[in-house]
Amino acid sequence: MGFLSQFQTCFWTIILFLFMVLNCHVNETALVLPKNVTVSAVFVFGDSIVDPGNNNNLPTIAKGNFLPYGRDFKDGPTGRFSNGRVPSDLIAEEFGVKGLVPAYLDPKTQLQDLLTGVSFASGAAGYDPLTAKTANVIPMSGQLELFKECIKKIKGGVGEERAATIISEAIYIVCTGSNDISNTYFSTPFRRPHYDINGYAEFNARYANQFLQDLYGLGARRIGLLGLPPIGCVPSQRTIGGGKNRDCYEAENQLAIAYNAKLSGVIDSLKAVYTLPDTKLIFLDIYYPLLSLIQNPAKYGFEVATKGCCGTGLIEASIFCNPTSIPLSCPDASKYVFWDGYHPSEKAYKILVPIIINTHLNEFF
């Protein structure tokens, strides 16, 4: 073999090697999906945990489109209620779809975005219709209406056949319920006189059940329902109901546990109804994975688990975590389990999402 041939062989070997290295690096966070499985898109419904900015133009105080929100995000504040990315983004990345899930109501969202999934979630929403009404945000029923509108746009853009494939091969994530506990049941006089803890959990489970049936009716077949976190242990709820030592607000945690039991039961009952092989309904527990971070912060590389990074870390969230909070905010949010008084930090999400998705991966397919 002549020098030129040897050089060409070496050159293309190096190029191929670099391509493989770069390709592996780009996709290193994505899961390895089962053979012959495609995830076309990720569509998301719920509250501020998965809202990337749908509330930005609503007349509500439940917003996060200003600093210090988004201070560690490449685009700055977008309406995500964290210092960086949120679970909707990370879940889509885990499934190899894309690294950011845009807000459906973002004026910049285009047809191409719709084809691989968007979030309809609205911060401060809940299964209880009163929760969204009180906060003046988009209720779960309204989020379904937006999804119907989205489907029409997809069909108009790529045709009925491709649209049907996108809808059936997508992953659907539903994440809400915490605001029903913290903002409605324990903070207003409207529900507690009529429902004890189990009664209120059952009341909301009926709404969750109807939501999932309606979502199924629109073509969703792979649905992951996130349970509630230990809401009584988030910083603001410790301050409100944890006494002088700021312990966890146990009454809220008890309701979260009862709520999760009912939601898990809803999934089980729907599985018995929707028995076709392509239908996958999964309850995703977040309560105990997050509780582990809170109770064992050092194990996961955190230093602070009872206060948020924003401001004093004791109560601030949404409009109360704002530019005036910046001088008091922590310099490094990655040391904190919580970004503000209510929402975890991006680092906490980056630990939690792979744990939850990996635990249930095979159930989606």
Side-chain angles (χ1 to χ4, degrees):
M1 185 184 291
F3 172 77
L4 184 58
S5 296
Q6 287 180 325
F7 174 80
Q8 287 175 327
T9 302
C10 277
F11 175 78
W12 288 112
T13 301
I14 291 167
I15 292 297
L16 180 62
F17 173 75
L18 288 172
F19 173 78
M20 292 172 67
V21 168
L22 287 170
N23 196 50
C24 287
H25 177 71
V26 168
N27 294 297
E28 66 186 356
T29 58
L31 296 165
V32 177
L33 299 179
K35 269 190 176 181
N36 303 319
V37 163
T38 302
V39 176
S40 59
V42 173
F43 293 102
V44 187
F45 304 83
D47 57 27
S48 58
I49 299 298
V50 287
D51 177 1
N54 285 308
N55 281 9
N56 289 358
N57 295 311
L58 299 182
T60 177
I61 64 169
K63 296 185 182 185
N65 58 333
F66 39 78
L67 288 170
Y69 286 104
R71 75 174 197 190
D72 300 316
F73 189 71
K74 65 183 180 66
D75 297 326
T78 57
R80 288 170 170 82
F81 291 79
S82 190
N83 59 303
R85 291 192 294 168
V86 292
S88 40
D89 303 314
L90 300 172
I91 290 168
E93 186 173 69
E94 282 290 309
F95 283 110
V97 176
K98 55 186 177 183
L100 293 174
V101 175
Y104 176 69
L105 294 180
D106 186 335
K108 296 192 294 291
T109 297
Q110 304 292 318
L111 174 64
Q112 287 305 118
D113 298 310
L114 305 185
L115 302 183
T116 50
V118 289
S119 174
F120 306 95
S122 181
Y127 290 112
D128 186 340
L130 183 61
T131 301
K133 187 176 181 180
T134 304
N136 207 29
V137 298
I138 307 165
M140 297 301 287
S141 58
Q143 294 178 34
L144 276 179
E145 291 303 313
L146 293 177
F147 181 47
K148 289 178 187 176
E149 182 182 283
C150 176
I151 292 172
K152 284 183 184 176
K153 290 179 181 178
I154 292 173
K155 287 179 177 178
V158 300
E160 295 270 348
E161 189 175 341
R162 188 177 167 205
T165 301
I166 290 168
I167 298 305
S168 66
E169 292 183 350
I171 296 285
Y172 296 82
I173 298 294
V174 184
C175 174
T176 195
S178 297
N179 298 307
D180 296 327
I181 295 177
S182 61
N183 298 353
T184 300
Y185 190 78
F186 285 104
S187 297
T188 71
F190 304 119
R191 298 302 191 203
R192 262 201 292 180
H194 308 289
Y195 301 97
D196 62 11
I197 278 177
N198 281 323
Y200 189 60
E202 179 63 39
F203 171 82
N204 286 308
R206 288 196 292 272
Y207 280 103
N209 185 28
Q210 188 59 57
F211 179 88
L212 293 172
Q213 289 189 55
D214 292 343
L215 186 58
Y216 180 90
L218 293 173
R221 292 298 179 267
R222 300 166 174 168
I223 305 172
L225 180 73
L226 276 156
L228 276 64
I231 188 64
C233 294
V234 308
S236 62
Q237 302 311 295
R238 286 175 179 270
T239 302
I240 291 167
K244 64 179 183 179
N245 294 327
R246 297 185 64 252
D247 297 320
C248 293
Y249 191 170
E250 285 306 328
E252 288 193 346
N253 282 351
Q254 287 168 17
L255 178 48
I257 290 169
Y259 209 140
N260 283 338
K262 298 294 183 184
L263 291 177
S264 181
V266 165
I267 291 292
D268 290 340
S269 66
L270 290 177
K271 279 181 178 178
V273 175
Y274 301 128
T275 57
L276 292 174
D278 66 339
T279 301
K280 307 297 178 182
L281 300 164
I282 308 104
F283 177 76
L284 305 170
D285 174 54
I286 183 64
Y287 190 99
Y288 292 102
L290 179 55
L291 190 63
S292 181
L293 264 65
I294 293 167
Q295 293 177 338
N296 312 286
K299 176 182 173 183
Y300 299 94
F302 296 106
E303 294 179 6
V304 183
T306 60
K307 295 199 302 183
C309 171
C310 182
T312 65
L314 300 175
I315 197 79
E316 297 93 331
S318 191
I319 63 164
F320 301 105
C321 171
N322 57 52
T324 65
S325 310
I326 293 173
L328 291 173
S329 297
C330 77
D332 184 358
S334 70
K335 294 178 179 177
Y336 284 65
V337 174
F338 291 96
W339 159 246
D340 63 12
Y342 204 81
H343 307 95
S345 63
E346 181 184 38
K347 181 182 174 182
Y349 287 141
K350 282 183 171 179
I351 292 170
L352 291 168
V353 167
I355 291 172
I356 295 162
I357 299 301
N358 275 290
T359 300
H360 299 279
L361 178 63
N362 292 330
E363 297 173 59
F364 277 98
F365 307 108

